[in-house]
Amino acid sequence: MCGIVGYVGQKQALEIVVAGLRRLEYRGYDSAGIAVLADGVLDTRKKAGKLVNLETLLGEDPLPDSTTGIGHTRWATHGGPTDRNAHPHVSEDGSVAIIHNGIIENFTELREELTNSGVTLSSDTDSEVVAHLLARILPKVGDLTVAMREVCKELEGAFTLVAVSPLYPDVVVGARRNSPLVVGVGDGENFLASDVAAFVDHTRNALELGQDQVVTLTPEGVSVTDFDGNEAVVRPFTVDWDAAAVEKGGYDLFMLKEIAEQPKAVADSLRGRMTKDGRLQLDEMSLSDEDLRGIDKVVVIACGTAYHAGLVAKYAVEHWTRIPVEVEVASEFRYRDPIVGPGTLVIAISQSGETMDTLMALRHAAAQGARTLAICNTVGSTIPRESDGVLYTYAGPEIAVASTKAFLTQIIAAYLIGLYLAQVRSAMDEADIRAVLEDLDNMPQAVDLVLDTVEPVRAIARELADCKSVLFIGRHVGFPVALEGALKLKELAYMHAEGFAAGELKHGPIALIEEGVPVVVIVPSPSHFLHDKVISAIQEVRARGALIVAIAEEGDEKIVAFSDHIIRVPVVPALMQPLVSTVPLQVFACEMATAKGHDVDQPRNLAKSVTVE
Ligand code: M6R
């Protein structure tokens, strides 16, 4: 939430910061703003709404040439999405400008204290206090970095902060606690950003900042300390994708591009993880086989789409390993005194690696002595850094707010972990593990086939675009797919959508059915023991007027008599079905949103990385 960019070097800061903000707009688009230092003067422009509004303002009222600048794109928490609440916030005396991502939890006390000391606040945000606190301490300590350290000690909550001051030209200072901030190391120039996408055009050399660290950038160098001023250890890493990965590449929407990338994302996430003799090798996980043999329970914590991936994985991992698997929405986990300990493997699934609810749940699990493992798509992010081990997904950057390729690759990673547990604990025959690995290996091709045949989905979506509500039902692994289909439709088409376990309908939700209500049914294979039970559920809702859209396997002829529309998916083993049946639902939601004229990549009220609790 909120995108942050900082630049200091030899080039025009404005262009670099605006381009960086464009790359980070997925993180929030309630307002955008920029501050630059030019000839000892601080100058800012900021505007409510999307970045384009700021660009228009910059056209009408340009900023001066400058080689030092910071920029912010906001997802509003405290204070509405207005011009005055947009960042940067500047101190009363004009000596400091700051941008902030996170929530400063003690801002009420700090505001009161500042007001009592005669400061006039000019926004409703929690963030603004930082500008005033920095300005107050700056004359005493005479150094922006030292001032930042001191102010950070006064703050509670989560923050990434970046500040510039006309008193310190050619210096950008950042700090982080619980919110993301990475350094881009260039040649005669350096960058700060919430995400490497902001600077990957300029450098692929990056530094991971740790918790409670302050970083100072000049054109010549980068120095990092903790809040007490001790030199800090930072991990360098190289961004392993290039700028093209964060461009639309000929597609109208990032979401369409990312849906199309799924076969490759799945293939990349499987690559290099099996030995030639068909055994799994997940050394990168850095949890010993002995540790894994000692596990008596798996708990998956995640949010949104990642939570649905966890729900899918539960069916497979329990089946393969016979270890109980609990899957929990991360935001609830630590508030219910969960039973976890040294025998629990807690798996945190997160595309961004920055989701605050998941991070807090992970920390709680670690504090109880659990072994922790991240499934993550973002190298260098906080969740893998704070876990005992990590299995990265290789989906490439996911820019559209609606998660697509991350979901498929999270399922792949969770399946690999399940199979690995089965391997080290001898819970399955080697031949059976090999057979599942072969099934997984066939999945990129199967997903590709779905993509070739989704065109009818678009027509159905357009036909149903005026519906008030769509229900999704499924059983077994089809149930989390139904939840995921409903989530996609809610977030993109802004319509009422709900996913249910098909068997649960008769216990209440069937009352929602009336003439013409579309019910999307994830139909298991005719060879699956639940096929007939799902057909019974279809009959129950059809008898009450529902319009049935069936996602059904090629060759399932029995379904024809019970459906108004059929979307075909290739024949795959039962546990692999989510990897194919989710894809039409992504296309369905995308097309529905497009038909309604919505901004698919940046749906209202949302942000890609949810870095506040
Ligand atoms: O980055 P994460 O995987 O931790 O994000 C979790 C959710 O916020 C995310 O999946 C969200 O639900 C998506 N926008 C859904 O499409």
Side-chain angles (χ1 to χ4, degrees):
M1 273 172 177
C2 299
I4 278 182
V5 191
Y7 174 79
V8 59
Q10 322 294 333
K11 300 183 189 135
Q12 283 300 324
L14 181 63
E15 283 164 27
I16 289 173
V17 172
V18 170
L21 289 180
R22 199 169 296 122
R23 289 273 171 75
L24 298 188
E25 206 180 7
Y26 72 88
R27 300 182 70 88
Y29 27 86
D30 287 332
S31 64
I34 290 194
V36 296
L37 299 180
D39 300 326
V41 177
L42 176 68
D43 212 342
T44 62
R45 298 288 180 276
K46 50 192 197 175
K47 197 72 196 154
K50 294 198 172 182
L51 181 61
V52 65
N53 296 359
L54 174 67
E55 291 178 289
T56 307
L57 175 67
L58 288 166
E60 293 158 3
D61 185 10
L63 280 168
D65 287 352
S66 162
T67 54
T68 306
I70 59 176
H72 186 267
T73 175
R74 177 170 187 244
W75 188 83
T77 57
H78 296 55
T82 59
D83 288 354
R84 71 193 284 272
N85 290 332
H87 300 214
H89 294 287
V90 179
S91 61
E92 277 184 309
D93 62 359
S95 66
V96 186
I98 66 99
I99 50 180
H100 168 226
N101 172 26
I103 292 179
I104 293 167
E105 286 168 3
N106 57 336
F107 84 103
T108 311
E109 297 87 313
L110 294 170
R111 272 179 87 97
E112 202 176 299
E113 189 222 311
L114 285 162
T115 311
N116 291 343
S117 66
V119 173
T120 307
L121 288 130
S122 49
S123 78
D124 313 311
T125 65
D126 53 331
S127 315
E128 187 192 346
V129 293
V130 177
H132 302 297
L133 293 172
L134 280 171
R136 187 166 72 181
I137 201 166
L138 204 47
K140 291 184 206 149
V141 298
D143 183 287
L144 189 57
T145 306
V146 178
M148 180 66 95
R149 281 188 210 127
E150 293 309 310
V151 169
C152 285
K153 288 182 199 163
E154 290 187 58
L155 306 178
E156 287 166 19
F159 48 84
T160 295
L161 291 163
V162 176
V164 288
S165 165
L167 305 172
Y168 303 92
D170 299 328
V171 175
V172 175
V173 174
R176 76 168 288 266
R177 170 182 287 167
N178 292 338
S179 289
L181 186 65
V182 280
V183 179
V185 182
D187 185 9
E189 59 182 359
N190 290 302
F191 307 79
L192 276 177
S194 313
D195 174 338
V196 295
F199 55 69
V200 74
D201 285 323
H202 307 278
T203 179
R204 286 160 75 174
N205 299 324
L207 300 176
E208 252 180 58
L209 291 179
Q211 182 71 340
D212 286 5
Q213 292 184 346
V214 172
V215 56
T216 307
L217 302 189
T218 63
E220 296 79 33
V222 177
S223 64
V224 185
T225 64
D226 63 19
F227 287 175
D228 292 323
N230 304 307
E231 200 178 320
V233 180
V234 285
R235 198 184 72 85
F237 68 100
T238 307
V239 183
D240 63 0
W241 41 266
D242 61 20
V246 280
E247 297 295 341
K248 284 188 192 152
Y251 289 87
D252 290 339
L253 300 169
F254 277 112
M255 185 174 179
L256 288 173
K257 179 185 175 226
E258 288 160 10
I259 289 172
E261 284 172 342
Q262 291 183 110
K264 181 175 180 316
V266 169
D268 289 349
S269 299
L270 286 167
R271 186 166 305 120
R273 286 169 165 167
M274 299 170 221
T275 60
K276 284 211 177 73
D277 60 351
R279 282 181 69 79
L280 262 174
Q281 199 172 359
L282 302 178
D283 298 346
E284 56 188 294
M285 236 164 45
S286 44
L287 285 173
S288 71
D289 290 357
E290 202 187 325
D291 279 343
L292 296 175
R293 277 192 279 269
I295 297 305
D296 55 29
K297 180 168 79 165
V298 173
V299 176
V300 178
I301 45 174
C303 302
T305 289
Y307 167 68
H308 297 156
L311 288 176
V312 171
K314 174 182 166 74
Y315 289 85
V317 178
E318 285 190 340
H319 177 65
W320 292 329
T321 65
R322 308 311 297 153
I323 306 173
V325 179
E326 294 168 12
V327 187
E328 181 147 1
V329 165
S331 54
E332 285 297 313
F333 181 74
R334 71 176 169 135
Y335 298 106
R336 65 164 183 87
D337 196 12
I339 302 166
V340 290
T344 317
L345 176 65
V346 171
I347 304 179
I349 308 182
S350 174
Q351 186 285 131
S352 62
E354 299 294 350
T355 299
M356 186 60 78
D357 291 316
T358 310
L359 176 62
M360 291 303 170
L362 176 78
R363 284 187 184 159
H364 184 82
Q368 310 299 306
R371 309 313 316 257
T372 58
L373 178 60
I375 292 177
C376 186
N377 195 42
T378 311
V379 176
S381 57
T382 311
I383 289 171
R385 218 181 33 238
E386 294 198 14
S387 301
D388 295 327
V390 55
L391 196 68
Y392 280 109
T393 51
Y394 292 99
E398 194 182 64
I399 307 293
V401 166
S403 198
T404 52
K405 57 181 181 171
F407 179 66
L408 265 59
T409 57
Q410 286 161 351
I411 295 173
I412 294 287
Y415 277 17
L416 290 176
I417 292 167
L419 290 170
Y420 193 74
L421 280 169
Q423 183 176 286
V424 299
R425 297 161 68 100
S426 306
M428 275 169 90
D429 289 344
E430 290 205 354
D432 291 340
I433 295 178
R434 239 188 335 267
V436 181
L437 290 173
E438 272 164 32
D439 291 340
L440 285 170
D441 237 3
N442 292 331
M443 292 320 292
Q445 206 186 349
V447 178
D448 217 12
L449 270 176
V450 189
L451 290 172
D452 283 346
T453 54
V454 284
E455 205 42 48
V457 180
R458 298 182 207 281
I460 300 169
R462 283 192 295 271
E463 187 186 317
L464 301 180
D466 292 328
C467 290
K468 282 204 305 257
S469 165
V470 180
L471 305 183
F472 294 75
I473 60 170
R475 290 193 77 142
H476 196 258
V477 288
F479 169 42
V481 171
L483 296 176
E484 177 61 7
L487 174 62
K488 287 283 102 72
L489 203 60
K490 274 183 258 205
E491 74 177 328
L492 298 177
Y494 317 153
M495 66 197 294
H496 173 244
E498 277 194 73
F500 298 109
E504 192 61 16
L505 279 182
K506 54 192 179 297
H507 300 289
I510 201 162
L512 293 168
I513 304 294
E514 53 188 29
E515 197 59 35
V517 169
V519 177
V520 178
V521 188
I522 322 304
V523 185
S525 164
S527 61
H528 195 277
F529 56 95
L530 285 168
H531 185 263
D532 285 349
K533 293 226 182 318
V534 169
I535 290 199
S536 303
I538 295 178
Q539 282 181 305
E540 287 158 16
V541 289
R542 231 176 165 222
R544 290 161 176 86
L547 180 136
I548 303 298
V549 180
I551 314 283
E553 192 175 282
E554 288 292 351
D556 179 353
E557 293 311 322
K558 197 167 173 189
I559 200 69
V560 177
F562 304 103
S563 312
D564 297 284
H565 298 283
I566 303 180
I567 298 164
R568 293 292 183 182
V569 290
V571 180
V572 296
L575 288 170
M576 303 294 150
Q577 210 217 22
L579 297 163
V580 290
S581 55
T582 307
V583 178
L585 305 186
Q586 299 165 342
V587 175
F588 182 72
C590 183
E591 188 66 25
M592 191 85 111
T594 306
K596 286 168 168 286
H598 297 170
D599 186 334
V600 172
D601 286 337
Q602 296 178 347
R604 72 181 180 201
N605 305 339
L606 289 168
K608 179 79 183 160
S609 304
V610 184
T611 55
V612 293
E613 249 196 297

